[in-house]
Amino acid sequence: MKNLFFCLFSFLLCSSISAQGLEQQPAANFDQERTGIPKGKIDTIHYASKTVDTVRRAFVYLPPGYSKAKNYPVLYLLHGIGGDEEEWLRGGTPKVILDNLYADGKLEPMIVVLPNGRAMKDDRAGGNVMEPEKVAAFATFEKDLLNDLIPFIETNYRVIKDRESRALAGLSMGGGQSLNFGLGNLDTFAWVGAFSAAPNTKAPETLIPDPQAAKNLLKVLWLSCGDEDRLLRFSERTHEYLDEHGVPHVYFIEPGGHDFKVWKGGLYRFSQLLFKPVDKSIYGSTGG
Ligand code: FER
């Protein structure tokens, strides 16, 4: 009997700990396709961009059981300097990761949009991706996102059109974009995530000129990076400024470099926090 109580107590304790806070390590096979579970669907869309004066391609992941009778929040998920709208699908298995999280009841239903963050006529990732014109196109994407892509999504899908129902996250160059555009447009985004943010990340004082506004308006601000990433400093300096100014954020440093192991883990952990009441115990997590 005593044993039974002990088991029950341990079970309740463990389940309450895992129901709260941050999942430190992805579950085994989190990125392996499972059979016999409901699957989401990937649409290809083409939207007219006034910013670029062209028609641009993006992908849209609809969750398992997507219903036109419901309205969904949206995560905009951005790629890095060497990629395009296909990068996450090629290297990050976001569909598998998200399908598995839904099967385990760990995600709030959401639409995920995978755009091309290089806002210029030739937005392919070919040639020298470090050319100044191509790097500048990652900054131009702010206008494309706000004025062209978001309105297209909000006209063509059943989505909730308020700041608390929009998240912006990305890897590397896309992480820098997420911080720059997310923190620069707190009237549009309440959930912001950067996985291995690149040197395009604005300097902290420019990025967060009004820490009190960030504190009041952000639901979750997420910074993660591999400890061996040579770009770690860009996450670290942002984290230090946020700490100095008392802006709550998750700073998750894990063993690893500048690669999809860290970015897949970022998507896995960050997506589970989205569009849910915020549990403050996540802020104690520092990675492992
Ligand atoms: C740089 C180093 C890395 C840089 C961008 C990156 C614009 C981006 C890396 C990535 O997106 O993976 O100096 O300058």
Side-chain angles (χ1 to χ4, degrees), residues 40-204:
K41 174 176 165 267
I42 298 212
D43 280 355
T44 303
I45 59 159
H46 292 90
Y47 64 100
S49 166
K50 294 188 293 296
T51 306
V52 186
D53 189 23
T54 187
V55 173
R56 313 197 70 222
R57 184 171 75 145
F59 298 107
V60 176
Y61 167 88
L62 302 173
Y66 174 75
S67 156
K68 287 190 174 148
K70 280 201 294 201
N71 290 320
Y72 293 83
V74 185
L75 164 63
Y76 294 85
L77 185 62
L78 311 180
H79 61 82
I81 202 160
D84 54 29
E85 70 274 24
E86 292 183 6
E87 184 176 23
W88 271 101
L89 298 173
R90 284 211 188 109
T93 61
K95 182 175 181 304
V96 175
I97 293 171
L98 299 172
D99 285 348
N100 289 345
L101 283 170
Y102 283 114
D104 293 339
K106 290 178 171 174
L107 280 194
E108 190 61 24
M110 69 183 90
I111 290 175
V112 181
V113 180
L114 301 154
N116 182 312
R118 187 184 291 98
M120 62 193 291
K121 286 215 164 72
D122 177 6
D123 60 9
R124 295 305 92 198
N128 176 11
V129 294
M130 291 288 185
E131 258 173 42
E133 190 197 355
K134 295 184 185 174
V135 172
F138 278 85
T140 308
F141 182 64
E142 179 170 10
K143 288 202 176 69
D144 181 271
L145 174 66
L146 296 173
N147 302 334
D148 304 308
L149 179 58
I150 291 178
F152 178 91
I153 294 295
E154 298 191 348
T155 309
N156 290 281
Y157 290 90
R158 300 295 303 264
V159 303
I160 311 170
K161 303 173 195 178
D162 60 39
R163 55 180 300 283
E164 296 200 358
S165 304
R166 290 192 205 99
L168 182 60
L171 69 87
S172 195
M173 206 64 179
Q177 286 176 308
S178 298
L179 295 173
N180 295 345
F181 311 162
L183 299 174
N185 295 280
L186 292 167
D187 53 339
T188 304
F189 301 102
W191 313 80
V192 177
F195 317 139
S196 322
N200 63 327
T201 308
K202 289 179 179 169

Side-chain angles (χ1 to χ4, degrees), residues 31 54 105 148 211 215 228 234 238:
D31 57 351
T54 187
D148 304 308
K215 206 170 161 172
E228 287 172 16
F234 297 95
T238 312

